Amino acid sequence: MYSLVNTKDIDSIKPFLAKFSLPEKNSHKGQNGKLFIIGGSSLFHSALVWSAETASYFADMVHASSTPDNNEILLSLKKKWQNGIVVPASDREHYVREDDVSLIGTGMMREGRESQEDRALIKHLFDLFPDKKWVIDAGALQIMNKEWLKRFKAKPILTPHQKEFQTLFGEDILSLSQEVKIKIVTKTAKEFQVILLVKCGYDIVSDGEQTVVIDGGNAGLTKGGTGDILASLAACFYTKHEGIQSAVLSSYLLKKTADELFKEKKYWFNNSDIISSLPKTLTRLLG
């Protein structure tokens, strides 16, 4: 069994919004979410910036770390990007330990020397911090081993598209019906004790027990980088909420924001439009 959520039906998301945690009036810096993002590469340098800029709206503290080549790019952008902290590689372990959630993989290389270095880094951090909350995205999903998932004590959130799902789990779901995809995603989430957010146009979210299908949005979301935004949203929400709630809300919020942008711009919006519109959409939903 699974439940359906659609951006055209506000009532369908209300059970997840009802549990949304707002900042306490007397809270202090850091109490409303600390997120560490590890990603980027010499080729995909923008992915980390999109994720970090998204996170700056929803988490108190945003720390970002990347490859040496990409860190040079980030350092040159520090005058423009003032909503977070660029972290050197030598300090990664400190921030994984200190922050509530770590997002890894956005913009990482899928092949070549950099991918081998990233694979070793991912395994090292997973071995060192199996008790921490992780969100695993993009490049990390394509170069890691699925058996590494079985060592976590807190369920990680994985955000694959259908080909990344096949690369990691060996299941080709691309041409299957929605019903069959849902069954496979649910079975896989249960077997590996993870929370899956599988992007199929519609999204399938499952922790192996509860499964939710989220529909909505439009073809403006096919642009590169929207997956980085989605993973960042899931990670931000996971700092203060349960995993499946975080995955469902992040999917819904991104699709609903695309619906709103479509009214003004049709398909012709970019990642900057999405990122700056997300808080307004969430405010309307909560209002």
Side-chain angles (χ1 to χ4, degrees), residues 44-189:
F44 302 116
H45 63 275
S46 294
L48 182 59
V49 177
W50 287 324
S51 292
E53 192 63 22
T54 298
S56 70
Y57 285 102
F58 300 101
D60 278 3
M61 302 291 293
V62 183
H63 306 108
S65 178
S66 187
T67 62
D69 288 340
N70 198 36
N71 265 333
E72 290 181 13
I73 297 170
L74 284 180
L75 289 169
S76 70
L77 291 175
K78 284 184 77 173
K79 289 184 179 178
K80 176 181 178 183
W81 183 58
Q82 298 177 332
N83 295 315
I85 299 171
V86 177
V87 174
S90 58
D91 289 342
R92 282 177 182 146
E93 292 179 13
H94 168 77
Y95 285 97
V96 174
R97 183 179 295 108
E98 292 298 317
D99 286 359
D100 300 307
V101 173
S102 293
L103 164 60
I104 193 166
T106 176
M108 278 185 167
M109 292 290 283
R110 282 77 161 164
E111 57 187 17
R113 175 188 56 80
E114 273 188 271
S115 70
Q116 294 304 311
E117 293 174 354
D118 289 343
R119 177 182 167 88
L121 170 65
I122 293 165
K123 185 176 187 301
H124 171 72
L125 292 175
F126 287 175
D127 284 341
L128 205 57
F129 300 103
D131 56 330
K132 297 295 290 187
K133 288 182 176 181
W134 290 90
V135 175
I136 309 171
D137 181 45
L141 297 168
Q142 299 187 39
I143 59 179
M144 65 177 286
N145 188 315
K146 64 183 179 182
E147 297 303 319
W148 299 353
L149 296 169
K150 296 180 178 179
R151 66 195 61 182
F152 290 114
K153 296 177 182 177
K155 286 188 177 183
I157 298 175
L158 281 62
T159 58
H161 55 58
Q162 295 176 92
K163 288 189 177 180
E164 289 168 342
F165 183 89
Q166 180 183 1
T167 298
L168 182 58
F169 295 111
E171 295 258 19
D172 183 1
I173 64 172
L174 190 61
S175 60
L176 302 178
S177 69
Q178 184 182 72
E179 294 293 325
V180 176
K181 288 179 184 180
I182 291 168
K183 289 179 181 178
I184 292 173
V185 169
T186 301
K187 173 181 69 73
T188 304

Side-chain angles (χ1 to χ4, degrees), residues 27 61 112 118 160 175 178 189 196-198 229 256:
S27 57
M61 302 291 293
D118 289 343
S175 60
Q178 184 182 72
L196 286 169
L197 196 177
V198 182
I229 295 170
K256 187 66 174 178

